[in-house]
Amino acid sequence: MNSVGEACTELKREYDQCFNRWFAESFLKGERAADPCGQLFRRYQLCVQKAIKEKDIPIEGLEFMGPSKGKAEGSS
Amino acid sequence: FSKHVLTEDIVHREVTPDQKLLSRRLLTKTNRMPRWAERFFPANVAHSVYILEDSIVDPKNRTMTTFTWNINHARLMAVQERCVYRVNPENSNWTEVKREAWVSSSLFGVSRAVQEFGLARFKSNVTKSTKGFEYVLARMQGEAPSKTLVETAKEATEKAKETALAATEKAKDLASKAATKKKQYV
């Protein structure tokens, strides 16, 4: 899958590979080890956040999990 | 299957102190509208749709929740979807998903506003024509009409203006409340 920033697709792939490995082998098994992908993530984010600003994509200021739908779920 | 999805990016990710993974994904998808919609909303045609998907993965409780919604074209149509994935209580080898969706459009508010305006204008016109009718009847039946024609007309016009003003305010109010007004729940 491509990145919204054409130049970021390669950085995204590298990060995704690292993340997927950590996710499956560490996170889901309940290991508390912090993910080793921090640097890759930062490089990828620098690129993609710039592309997002350039394309004027309105992702700012939106509450996590969107407007609450009035359910009791909350943050369980 | 999903050729309509053009790009996918993670724009936020964190692990909470209680070991949950929070992520926000930005997706862009093609904007495939039916032909009739392209004619009515030409401004929307050129732009693909931007969608955010927020997710919480909780490995301890073995659940995942996602919430997905479009962040543009939203006045035309806003779609929201919430999925909760968990272990099936009857069979721990199965994962079950509960999926809810909401579809709404501010166009619904516009049609309400048009209706309200039309109705209010009709009412004020009926008042004018009724007053004129009564005046003519009174003249024909030899009664002195209670007011002159000029006064009657002025009264009717004043009333009509008031009604129209109230209707415009109501219509504006409806149109601006529009997006949250009518949702279909699935």
Side-chain angles (χ1 to χ4, degrees):
Chain A
M1 190 90 279
N2 291 333
S3 170
V4 69
E6 296 80 14
C8 314
T9 298
E10 202 36 56
L11 292 172
K12 172 184 133 66
R13 297 242 171 90
E14 277 177 24
Y15 166 70
D16 280 346
Q17 264 175 18
C18 178
F19 170 80
N20 288 338
R21 203 170 18 231
W22 168 81
F23 183 72
E25 294 169 12
S26 184
F27 180 73
L28 287 184
K29 299 198 173 146
E31 288 173 24
R32 290 182 150 262
D35 81 80
C37 313
Q39 238 217 23
L40 287 172
F41 187 62
R42 270 186 294 274
R43 277 186 7 205
Y44 163 49
Q45 287 298 294
L46 250 93
C47 182
V48 82
Q49 296 289 350
K50 186 156 156 287
I52 286 169
K53 277 212 180 56
E54 278 166 11
K55 297 192 183 214
D56 258 322
I57 303 177
I59 66 168
E60 290 306 313
L62 294 170
E63 227 179 289
F64 190 69
M65 288 314 250
S68 76
K69 290 256 130 229
K71 277 172 282 299
E73 156 134 331
S75 55
S76 49
Chain B
F1 285 108
S2 305
K3 296 210 198 91
H4 64 286
V5 181
L6 300 170
T7 72
E8 176 241 338
D9 283 285
I10 304 294
V11 297
H12 178 83
R13 183 161 267 158
E14 70 180 87
V15 180
T16 65
D18 56 350
Q19 290 297 97
K20 291 192 191 147
L21 178 72
L22 310 184
S23 310
R24 172 166 279 182
R25 278 208 304 180
L26 169 68
L27 303 153
T28 65
K29 296 190 189 171
T30 58
N31 177 25
R32 303 153 301 164
M33 298 195 284
R35 289 287 204 94
W36 62 264
E38 285 184 2
R39 279 186 32 221
F40 279 107
F41 312 109
N44 291 76
V45 178
H47 301 105
S48 22
V49 187
Y50 295 126
I51 289 138
L52 285 182
E53 176 207 82
D54 286 347
S55 58
I56 302 176
V57 179
D58 184 345
K60 283 212 208 80
N61 294 317
R62 301 174 76 196
T63 67
M64 176 167 87
T65 305
T66 66
F67 187 74
T68 309
W69 74 106
N70 57 306
I71 59 175
N72 66 338
H73 299 288
R75 268 182 311 247
L76 174 49
M77 183 167 86
V79 182
Q80 297 158 326
E81 178 199 64
R82 188 168 177 272
C83 297
V84 181
Y85 300 79
R86 60 173 195 164
V87 179
N88 180 293
E90 262 122 62
N91 182 340
S92 64
N93 284 326
W94 291 355
T95 304
E96 73 174 30
V97 56
K98 174 176 83 156
R99 191 193 302 263
E100 298 167 289
W102 295 264
V103 182
S104 59
S105 173
S106 70
L107 297 182
F108 178 76
V110 170
S111 77
R112 274 289 302 274
V114 171
Q115 262 175 233
E116 293 290 328
F117 170 76
L119 189 57
R121 191 166 64 177
F122 178 80
K123 284 189 201 168
S124 86
N125 286 347
V126 163
T127 308
K128 289 194 239 179
S129 62
T130 306
K131 291 236 151 89
F133 193 50
E134 284 168 5
Y135 179 85
V136 170
L137 276 181
R139 288 286 298 265
M140 282 172 60
Q141 288 163 6
E143 289 164 23
S146 55
K147 303 187 171 101
T148 65
L149 188 57
V150 171
E151 279 170 2
T152 313
K154 257 176 75 176
E155 243 180 58
T157 312
E158 274 314 306
K159 189 81 198 294
K161 268 209 273 212
E162 271 171 42
T163 315
L165 200 59
T168 313
E169 288 310 307
K170 184 159 185 212
K172 277 206 308 223
D173 183 60
L174 280 177
S176 71
K177 284 207 192 103
T180 56
K181 225 28 184 139
K182 172 122 177 170
K183 289 185 180 199
Q184 287 197 72
Y185 174 73
V186 163

